[in-house]
Amino acid sequence: MTNSEKIKVLVAEDDPDMLEQIKLYLEAEGYEVLAAAGQKETEAMLKPGAFQAAVLDLMMENQDSGFVLSYKIKKMDPRIPVIIVTSVTRDTGHSFDKAQDTKSWIKADVIINKELRFEQLKGELKRLLGAAEAHH
């Protein structure tokens, strides 16, 4: 597999340790990772064709950074799968019900609560990218 064929995953996470862990894990799984340390940095990377999937931390500069980025990514290309990782449920007791939120502006495909299990992330990416491939 050449580098140009690797699936590029945009990872936005303001915790440097978590960003590094996700990056190393996804690279070990054969993905190419575009790492961003916050919302502003991520917004600068939102170019059509720059990545095929996104994994976004929910709370970065703002409490809803991940949602805002998800919205912008889906507006740019609705086929790009977006996974939001959040500790909001743990930190605040709020949880997001995907079924209830499907028609809202959030637009994320999956919301995963931290503590993040990398197997879960891998499974969701594979499933969403497979679904994206099926629509091409």
Side-chain angles (χ1 to χ4, degrees), residues 6-10 49-54 79-81 129 132:
K6 278 191 177 179
I7 292 172
K8 293 184 185 73
V9 180
L10 173 67
F51 53 93
Q52 284 80 51
R79 295 169 306 185
I80 295 174
L129 286 162

Side-chain angles (χ1 to χ4, degrees), residues 53-67:
V55 178
L56 310 171
D57 185 24
L58 174 57
M59 293 201 287
M60 293 184 283
E61 286 95 323
N62 303 299
Q63 290 203 317
D64 63 351
S65 287
F67 291 156

Side-chain angles (χ1 to χ4, degrees), residues 72-88:
K72 290 182 175 184
I73 290 167
K74 291 291 191 178
K75 206 168 162 195
M76 176 180 83
D77 185 346
R79 295 169 306 185
I80 295 174
V82 175
I83 296 173
I84 288 181
V85 181
T86 176
S87 54
V88 166

